[in-house]
Amino acid sequence: MTTLDVRSHNRCEFIDLTDRVRRIVAESGVQRGIVVCYVPHTTAGVTIQENADPDVTRDLAYKLADLVPQHDGGFRHGEGNSDAHIKSSLIGASQTLLVNDGRLVLGTWQAIYFAEFDGPRRRQMHVQVIPAG
């Protein structure tokens, strides 16, 4: 397992980690298998999304903020970050991708994004490359 250190600079931010995961896959020597990206935080997540147009992740952040606003009078959690916990649950803590011919399998416009919902912070994402049986 490889642990990536991630530093966010904004409360809500999508950070492209695709190149870092590609390097891990290449260095693993695995030709066929899967790679699991896992975020061990309750106010962050990982998603696969378009990387050609930065407005896609901006729109995603905007709509998540619209669906789950930061300041909602109904939240009871005392830390004031209930929205970040909910957004993390909606996005999810892990993604599983394929490895074929020693390369990460992604669509033409796809990228792996660390999704920060309670930044700025120092975070981690664990990456595990698993060879096919």
Side-chain angles (χ1 to χ4, degrees), residues 3-123:
T3 299
L4 298 177
D5 291 317
V6 181
R7 184 178 180 109
S8 63
H9 301 325
N10 300 300
R11 185 163 198 284
C12 181
E13 184 176 357
F14 290 86
I15 302 166
D16 188 343
L17 298 180
T18 310
D19 288 341
R20 293 172 73 182
V21 175
R22 277 192 175 116
R23 272 193 299 274
I24 292 167
V25 170
E27 291 170 2
S28 75
V30 171
Q31 291 300 300
R32 299 187 100 151
I34 60 172
V35 59
V36 178
C37 300
Y38 172 72
V39 173
H41 306 287
T42 61
T43 57
V46 59
T47 190
I48 297 172
Q49 200 42 263
E50 179 180 323
N51 67 348
D53 181 354
D55 284 336
V56 172
T57 53
R58 285 189 201 117
D59 289 348
L60 183 56
Y62 168 78
K63 186 45 79 175
L64 285 168
D66 184 48
L67 291 170
V68 188
Q70 181 178 359
H71 302 291
D72 180 324
F75 292 148
R76 296 177 64 173
H77 180 52
E79 292 181 29
N81 62 353
S82 290
D83 67 304
H85 289 284
I86 295 166
K87 292 168 187 169
S88 172
S89 287
L90 291 171
I91 293 297
S94 68
Q95 291 289 328
T96 302
L97 298 103
L98 299 173
V99 174
N100 192 45
D101 293 330
R103 298 174 58 172
L104 187 62
V105 177
L106 283 170
T108 302
W109 308 115
Q110 288 183 316
I112 303 164
Y113 286 97
F114 180 92
E116 174 65 75
F117 300 117
D118 195 25
R121 290 182 184 242
R122 288 180 175 261
R123 302 285 202 163

